[in-house]
Amino acid sequence: MSKDKRKYSSEIVDGVKQAPSRAMLRAVGFESEDFKKPQVGIASTWSMVTPCNMHINELAEFAARGADSVGSKAVIFNTITVSDGISMGTKGMRYSLISREVIADSIETVVGGQGFDGLITIGGCDKNMPACVMAMARLNRPSIFVYGGSIKPGENRTDVVSVFEAVGKHSEGSISDIELLDIESTAIPGPGSCGGMYTANTMASAIEALGMSLPNSSAQEAVSKSKLHDSEGAGQAIMHLIEQDIKPRDIMTKAAFENAISVVIALGGSTNAVLHLLAIAHEAKVQIGLDDFERIGNRTPVLADLRPSGNYLMSELIEIGGIVPLMKIMLERGLLDGKQLTVTGKTLEENLSQFDSYPQNQEIIMEVDKPIKADSHLRILYGNLAPEGAVAKISGKEGLKFEGTAKVFNSEEDAMEGILSNQITEGDVLIIRYEGPRGAPGMREMLSPTSAIMGKGLGDKVAFLTDGRFSGGTHGFVVGHITPEAYDGGPIALVKNGDHISINAESNQINLDLTEEEIKKRKESWVCSVKDEEGGVLDKYRALVTSASEGAVTTKK
């Protein structure tokens, strides 16, 4: 193999001076002929921390087998994972978004240090997936992402969100202790990512639309022959990228990000996609901002009837063909740019031409002319409560406008106590603040309180605002990512109980009914309620992180 195919590994293993390096590599399984092959790092996010990732070791082995079969030398290494679903509602959740940066840093560190010529990453949970692609963008070496796959449905079509919402029902007395235990015991049947169009499936779909995965990698169950084939296929495909020197930034163009945003909207995906796509674009050195989501959202309908706002699970979408037929529909209607390059070495349009359309009479994906919502459910809001922007997830089922009086809490724990003790009533605008990237620190997700609200039957009767973020499983009239955040003295820090707030998802406005003079007066007397006493990685993150409107990243522009 010529040295130009081993652009990085040749520096590690060639020549007399590198005999010590070769000696150490022989100990981990290299043979003499392997030093002449391109080296492919396979970043596995396997761990027993969460069902999302518990099977990924096998996928990594299949990817390695595929890479080895086409003349490269695969080297598997691991990185961390933090489970959102397990840490949700606790102080542990502060580490979730932080883990995205740690994972990206760790993959970059290993690949840069070891001199790999190509990279395959395998992710299966909310933060390790964008982290994998962020690392790929930074390194800009031939790379492919493999999605770990979606979980099978639980008993009676339940999933993890069913358990969170059951907590709210239990506090209302509408289900018993035994019924709660039954849901808890059967909703998560085995390996795979949460089964609706929550953050993991949203990001897998976005990454595929971005061109960084093989076709339909996003729409395969975790435990399936198709997922093993996908993993092995990624290993085989990496050599072509190395030979042709096709790198992530050749694929992740501005138009490719626009494709990803369009697909997220059509699927009714998670608000976290906004945060993560901004972060990936930052690492890819592509200019994407909140206004791009608004612009693309004005022309892109919501077509998928998927949970949490809809009725169907990811496993049911997989049965009818996944997201590839959806992208074919969108391409035909001018909603995607088919000329964009992908990791197959072909364009998106060329990839899609090889697949069939959806079967007739399926009820999951609507026709473009008969959408669930004519424009995006992801609304970018501005106003005196969010001068630098906020992200709302409004399907339309909750209505498009809300006016009410503020009920303010300075932490998620205080808010949960208020919800479960019936302090939140119809017409309230529940505010949870000091939960932003710097305030928490770590920008916790609010699935526990939103699920409790849904469980109590208040989903269309109250609004919920935060400078934190929402789980992909959240639904209801919710607005997150409010910037500037409370920790930085943003207007959300100045709200008092009883203040009148108006939210309009048609004009994309979110306003506090106060004069500029009153806001200024409150700001002058404001004192941050958060004490900087965290230490460790929390302090590092707080010192480096940008605002949510910039993707909450920790690397410089």
Side-chain angles (χ1 to χ4, degrees):
M1 182 65 68
S2 64
K3 191 171 181 178
D4 63 335
K5 303 295 190 300
R6 300 185 297 116
K7 186 182 296 185
Y8 302 98
S9 63
S10 62
E11 298 180 13
I12 301 293
V13 300
D14 285 5
V16 173
K17 290 182 180 180
Q18 295 308 118
S21 304
R22 294 193 296 273
M24 295 193 73
L25 289 170
R26 289 179 190 277
V28 296
F30 275 62
E31 303 291 343
S32 294
E33 61 270 21
D34 292 330
F35 298 121
K36 300 175 184 179
K37 300 175 182 178
Q39 292 184 32
V40 175
I42 299 180
S44 168
T45 58
W46 170 85
S47 75
M48 293 303 290
V49 166
T50 169
C52 307
N53 294 64
M54 62 189 287
H55 63 299
I56 284 177
N57 55 349
E58 185 178 18
L59 303 186
E61 290 167 0
F62 269 76
R65 187 165 76 184
D68 288 343
S69 73
V70 292
S72 62
K73 176 59 179 175
V75 180
I76 299 173
F77 66 96
N78 276 88
T79 184
I80 68 161
T81 286
V82 171
S83 171
D84 293 7
I86 296 171
S87 63
M88 196 77 69
T90 74
K91 290 292 185 183
M93 186 65 194
R94 296 181 299 173
Y95 291 91
S96 171
L97 188 58
I98 294 174
S99 77
R100 187 188 73 181
E101 309 305 303
V102 175
I103 294 163
D105 290 350
S106 69
I107 294 173
E108 176 197 353
T109 300
V110 174
V111 174
Q114 296 298 119
F116 296 138
D117 302 294
L119 173 63
I120 297 170
T121 61
I122 310 174
C125 200
D126 294 7
K127 305 309 168 297
N128 58 53
M129 298 167 64
C132 285
V133 186
M134 288 165 67
M136 291 172 168
R138 284 186 202 170
L139 289 157
N140 204 32
R141 303 181 189 190
S143 303
I144 300 176
F145 175 79
V146 176
Y147 178 39
S150 188
I151 197 170
K152 294 181 183 296
E155 192 173 294
N156 299 318
R157 298 178 70 247
T158 51
D159 60 19
V160 66
V161 176
S162 306
V163 189
F164 279 98
E165 293 186 1
V167 173
K169 293 177 181 178
H170 182 268
S171 73
E172 279 287 281
S174 58
I175 64 172
S176 67
D177 291 350
I178 292 174
E179 288 171 313
L180 176 59
L181 178 60
D182 183 55
I183 295 171
E184 172 193 327
S185 302
T186 60
I188 316 289
S193 299
C194 301
M197 191 47 64
Y198 311 143
T199 301
N201 282 317
T202 297
M203 288 312 303
S205 302
I207 293 166
E208 182 177 327
L210 194 56
M212 291 303 297
S213 296
L214 296 181
N216 244 0
S217 180
S218 68
Q220 296 160 342
E221 288 189 331
V223 181
S224 65
K225 289 183 179 178
S226 58
K227 182 47 64 183
L228 296 176
H229 180 74
D230 178 47
S231 302
E232 188 169 10
Q236 294 167 340
I238 195 70
M239 182 59 90
H240 178 72
L241 298 180
I242 292 171
E243 290 173 343
Q244 299 300 313
D245 197 29
I246 297 173
K247 299 183 290 294
R249 293 184 203 168
D250 299 325
I251 296 169
M252 290 192 279
T253 63
K254 173 94 172 181
F257 277 98
E258 292 180 346
N259 283 345
I261 293 168
S262 297
V263 167
V264 166
I265 293 168
L267 288 168
S270 166
T271 53
N272 280 316
V274 178
L275 197 71
H276 297 325
L277 286 172
L278 290 174
I280 295 167
H282 169 83
E283 302 294 357
K285 303 187 184 304
V286 173
Q287 293 297 316
I288 293 288
L290 290 179
D291 292 345
D292 291 298
F293 284 85
E294 183 174 7
R295 172 178 55 84
I296 295 166
N298 288 336
R299 63 174 171 80
T300 307
V302 179
L303 301 176
D305 186 18
L306 295 168
R307 294 184 186 177
S309 297
N311 297 306
Y312 293 95
L313 290 161
M314 189 66 183
S315 59
E316 293 164 321
L317 179 62
I318 291 169
E319 287 178 4
I320 65 167
I323 74 163
V324 167
L326 170 64
M327 288 197 288
K328 286 186 68 171
I329 293 168
M330 296 177 71
L331 180 65
E332 291 166 1
R333 298 299 293 264
L335 297 172
L336 294 179
D337 183 344
K339 304 304 181 186
Q340 295 306 300
L341 185 64
T342 74
V343 293
T344 64
K346 300 176 181 178
T347 65
L348 179 65
E349 185 174 17
E350 289 172 326
N351 289 343
L352 296 178
S353 68
Q354 303 172 43
F355 290 86
D356 296 329
S357 300
Y358 287 123
Q360 290 187 348
N361 302 319
Q362 60 83 23
E363 299 179 341
I364 302 175
I365 302 297
M366 306 297 113
E367 297 177 14
V368 173
D369 296 327
K370 297 178 181 178
I372 291 171
K373 191 172 186 290
D375 57 5
S376 180
H377 64 301
L378 299 176
R379 313 303 296 182
I380 307 302
L381 309 181
Y382 292 95
N384 68 1
L385 190 52
E388 296 176 9
V391 180
K393 183 179 183 180
I394 299 173
S395 68
K397 295 178 181 179
E398 318 84 355
L400 297 173
K401 300 177 182 178
F402 195 96
E403 294 190 19
T405 53
K407 193 73 68 73
V408 182
F409 298 91
N410 286 341
S411 73
E412 181 184 357
E413 287 82 2
D414 290 347
M416 267 303 278
E417 184 178 338
I419 295 166
L420 295 179
S421 60
N422 299 315
Q423 294 178 37
I424 307 302
T425 58
E426 184 172 349
D428 282 345
V429 178
L430 170 63
I431 293 178
I432 304 181
R433 61 192 180 192
Y434 295 104
E435 294 288 3
R438 298 184 68 209
M443 203 179 182
R444 290 195 288 179
E445 286 184 350
M446 302 292 151
L447 182 57
S448 293
T450 56
S451 296
I453 285 170
M454 297 303 295
K456 283 180 169 290
L458 293 170
D460 59 350
K461 298 179 176 63
V462 301
F464 187 164
L465 314 183
T466 182
D467 52 3
R469 59 197 176 91
F470 293 110
S471 163
T474 292
H475 53 130
F477 206 106
V478 297
V479 183
H481 307 204
I482 291 177
T483 53
E485 62 175 287
Y487 182 89
D488 291 330
I492 191 173
L494 312 178
V495 182
K496 296 180 180 179
N497 286 331
D499 285 346
H500 184 266
I501 292 172
S502 60
I503 309 160
N504 189 321
E506 294 178 314
S507 63
N508 297 328
Q509 289 283 311
I510 180 168
N511 286 298
L512 181 60
D513 188 14
L514 293 176
T515 64
E516 289 185 18
E517 290 76 15
E518 176 62 20
I519 292 173
K520 184 178 179 181
K521 181 180 176 182
R522 290 188 186 184
K523 181 64 180 289
E524 289 171 352
S525 61
W526 169 77
V527 177
C528 182
S529 67
V530 176
K531 296 179 180 179
D532 296 342
E533 299 175 346
E534 305 300 343
V537 71
L538 296 173
D539 271 354
K540 291 180 185 178
Y541 186 80
R542 177 175 275 160
L544 293 171
V545 71
T546 64
S547 80
S549 294
E550 298 174 300
V553 296
T554 56
T555 53
K556 294 180 180 179
K557 291 183 178 179

